[in-house]
Amino acid sequence: MLKIYGIKNCNSMKKAFDLLNELGLAYEFHDYKKQGIDIETLKTWLAEIGADKILNKKGTTWRKLSEAEQQHALSSETALIEALSTHTSLIKRPVLQTPKGYLLGFDENAYRALA
């Protein structure tokens, strides 16, 4: 079973949901805006996907942080995990957990390959 993490009202998430439904793929949705995200999941993502990919520096949430907050978030894995769990919109979305690993961001071809 697939598990997709993200925020319900995000355009990339809507594309992902629509395609998963079109392909008839069952999935569980974890809305980390409402449900939060646990530290162990974040540690797994950082280890398997990488901080440079998980952290969304292009979004408004990152730009709204002060330079000191941004530098602190980048100073250590612990600080980054704290920032990601406090400001979940800093996590690039969607994160799709598949039996073979993770897909980050919406990639139509990668999703179609799951069917």
Side-chain angles (χ1 to χ4, degrees):
M1 166 100 110
L2 303 172
K3 187 167 185 178
I4 188 166
Y5 296 83
I7 298 170
K8 194 166 186 79
N9 294 330
C10 167
N11 286 338
S12 296
M13 293 298 299
K14 288 177 183 170
K15 289 177 191 173
F17 291 140
D18 288 347
L19 187 55
L20 289 172
N21 291 332
E22 175 191 319
L23 297 171
L25 296 171
Y27 61 89
E28 176 187 340
F29 171 51
H30 180 98
D31 186 336
Y32 49 63
K33 191 79 160 175
K34 292 181 179 171
Q35 298 169 269
I37 193 76
D38 65 275
I39 290 170
E40 290 309 311
T41 299
L42 289 172
K43 284 182 178 180
T44 299
W45 291 351
L46 292 174
E48 293 191 26
I49 303 168
D52 55 325
K53 292 180 181 168
I54 285 292
L55 178 60
N56 180 8
K57 291 184 182 178
K58 294 178 182 172
T60 54
T61 305
W62 178 255
R63 291 194 302 266
K64 285 181 181 177
L65 295 178
S66 69
E67 191 167 328
E69 289 172 312
Q70 290 177 356
Q71 291 306 315
H72 178 70
L74 298 173
S75 67
S76 70
E77 182 177 289
T78 303
L80 181 58
I81 288 171
E82 180 185 314
L84 293 171
S85 62
T86 304
H87 307 285
T88 53
S89 296
L90 290 173
I91 303 169
K92 186 169 170 114
R93 28 185 204 274
V95 178
L96 182 65
Q97 183 178 354
T98 76
K100 295 181 180 177
Y102 293 94
L103 296 176
L104 186 64
F106 177 69
D107 177 339
E108 183 175 346
N109 292 331
Y111 277 51
R112 287 191 182 281
L114 295 170

